[in-house]
C-alpha cells in the first residue's frame, strides 16, 4: 500500500530512463485518501525524468514510485507546538505539503470543542519564505488562501525576495513582500513569540545549502535544541 508523510519526496522510475527522478510531494496524505490523488512538483529543465514528464508523459502511462526522505511533519508528535516553516526557493515544495496537511486537519476538527486543538493541531504555524524574485515565489495564492482561512492557527506568512526588488508585489500589495534576505533577527522574532516552554517551536528548514546552513546555525546559537530542528537541503 502506498502512503507518505507531509514533507517527503518520491523517487520515480520511468521505463527506459536510467536516471531516477526525485520530486517533492506537494499535497497532503489525506488528499491521497480522498479522492485518491497526490501531487508532485516537477521543474521544467533538462533532467531526463523531469523532461519526460513535461514532454512525453500521457494519461495511463505507468511508472514505479518509492517514498523517501526523513524530513517530515508528524501531526501527532507536533501537535500543540509552534511550527516554524522556513523555505528558500523550491524548498517551499515539501513545506507546502506540511501547510496543506495542517489545513486539512483543521477542517476535520470540530471547532466548537477547543480541547481538541492542543491534541490534534499545532499551537501556531509561522512561515518565512524567500526567493530570488517575486515571480519565483511558488504557491503564493495557495499559501495566502490557507493562512487567511485559518487565522487561529496560521500567523500571516512573510515573503522575501533577494533580487528584482523593484518588481510589483503580487496582487498589487506593496507590503506583501520584504525586499531583502531572511535575517537572524527575523528568525529571532519568530522565536521570541514562543518563549512558553509548553509551546516551544519546532523548525522545518528547506532551501539551498548556504541558506539552510545559516538558519540552522542561527538556531543553535539561539539555544534551540537539535531535536527541534529538521532540515532538508536543495542543491
Amino acid at each position: 500500500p502506498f502512503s507518505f508523510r507531509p514533507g517527503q519526496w518520491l523517487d520515480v522510475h520511468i521505463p527506459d530512463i536510467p536516471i531516477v527522478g526525485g520530486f517533492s510531494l506537494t499535497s497532503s496524505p489525506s488528499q491521497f485518501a480522498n479522492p485518491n490523488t497526490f501531487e508532485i512538483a516537477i521543474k521544467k529543465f533538462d533532467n531526463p525524468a523531469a523532461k519526460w514528464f513535461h514532454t512525453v508523459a500521457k494519461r495511463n502511462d505507468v511508472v514505479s514510485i518509492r517514498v523517501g526522505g526523513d524530513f517530515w511533519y508528524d501531526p501527532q508528535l507536533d501537535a500543540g507546538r509552534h511550527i516554524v516553516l522556513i523555505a528558500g526557493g523550491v524548498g517551499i515544495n515539501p513545506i507546502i505539503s506540511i501547510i496543506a496537511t495542517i489545513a486539512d486537519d483543521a477542517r476535520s476538527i470540530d471547532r466548537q470543542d477547543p480541547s481538541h486543538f492542543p491534541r490534534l493541531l499545532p499551537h501556531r504555524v509561522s512561515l518565512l519564505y524567500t526567493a530570488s524574485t517575486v515571480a519565483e515565489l511558488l504557491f503564493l495564492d495557495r499559501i495566502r488562501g490557507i493562512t487567511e482561512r485559518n487565522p487561529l492557527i496560521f500567523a500571516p506568512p512573510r515573503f522575501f525576495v533577494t533580487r528584482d526588488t523593484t518588481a510589483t508585489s503580487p496582487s498589487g500589495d506593496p507590503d506583501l513582500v520584504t525586499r531583502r534576505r531572511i535575517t537572524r533577527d527575523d528568525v529571532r522574532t519568530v522565536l521570541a513569540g514562543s518563549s512558553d516552554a509548553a509551546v516551544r517551536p519546532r523548525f522545518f528548514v528547506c532551501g539551498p545549502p548556504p541558506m539552510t546552513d545559516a538558519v540552522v546555525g542561527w538556531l543553535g546559537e539561539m539555544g534551540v535544541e537539535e531535536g527541534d530542528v529538521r532540515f532538508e537541503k536543495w542543491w
Side-chain angles (χ1 to χ4, degrees):
F2 174 74
S3 64
F4 67 92
R5 301 188 183 202
Q8 291 188 300
W9 73 72
L10 281 187
D11 284 333
V12 182
H13 300 259
I14 301 166
D16 300 323
I17 294 182
I19 297 177
V20 177
F23 308 111
S24 290
L25 287 145
T26 56
S27 54
S28 66
S30 62
Q31 179 176 318
F32 180 70
N34 181 22
N36 199 36
T37 63
F38 62 84
E39 302 167 1
I40 54 178
I42 306 174
K43 183 177 180 178
K44 190 174 183 178
F45 69 120
D46 289 336
N47 173 278
K51 190 173 182 179
W52 180 86
F53 272 103
H54 282 282
T55 63
V56 178
K58 60 185 183 300
R59 184 181 297 273
N60 295 326
D61 281 344
V62 177
V63 299
S64 299
I65 58 176
R66 181 179 61 186
V67 176
D70 55 7
F71 177 85
W72 45 268
Y73 162 81
D74 186 326
Q76 295 183 333
L77 183 64
D78 297 327
R81 302 288 294 273
H82 181 185
I83 302 301
V84 182
L85 310 170
I86 303 178
V90 295
I92 192 64
N93 291 341
I95 296 292
I96 194 67
S97 177
I98 296 173
I99 292 172
T101 297
I102 295 170
D104 285 352
D105 289 346
R107 280 196 297 270
S108 68
I109 290 175
D110 180 5
R111 287 179 169 274
Q112 300 305 311
D113 186 353
S115 66
H116 287 174
F117 275 71
R119 185 165 57 88
L120 297 174
L121 290 174
H123 175 79
R124 194 70 166 155
V125 180
S126 300
L127 171 66
L128 304 178
Y129 174 26
T130 182
S132 294
T133 67
V134 170
E136 293 176 18
L137 289 169
L138 307 177
F139 304 109
L140 190 62
D141 290 340
R142 187 173 174 186
I143 291 169
R144 295 182 73 192
I146 288 174
T147 57
E148 289 172 3
R149 287 193 300 271
N150 298 275
L152 296 179
I153 304 169
F154 289 91
R158 294 192 62 190
F159 303 103
F160 300 78
V161 294
T162 58
R163 292 190 287 113
D164 193 23
T165 56
T166 60
T168 303
S169 296
S171 305
D173 182 352
D175 299 322
L176 179 63
V177 174
T178 300
R179 300 177 184 280
R180 57 170 173 78
R181 297 181 183 276
I182 295 173
T183 67
R184 185 192 310 259
D185 286 342
D186 295 317
V187 177
R188 194 190 307 276
T189 297
V190 174
L191 186 61
S194 304
S195 57
D196 187 338
V199 292
R200 74 182 193 274
R202 173 157 283 152
F203 288 83
F204 293 82
V205 186
C206 187
M211 186 211 83
T212 302
D213 289 341
V215 172
V216 172
W218 297 339
L219 294 174
E221 293 168 5
M222 295 174 194
V224 177
E225 295 182 12
E226 185 177 344
D228 286 333
V229 181
R230 299 174 183 169
F231 64 90
E232 189 90 277
K233 296 180 182 180
W234 286 83
W235 298 90

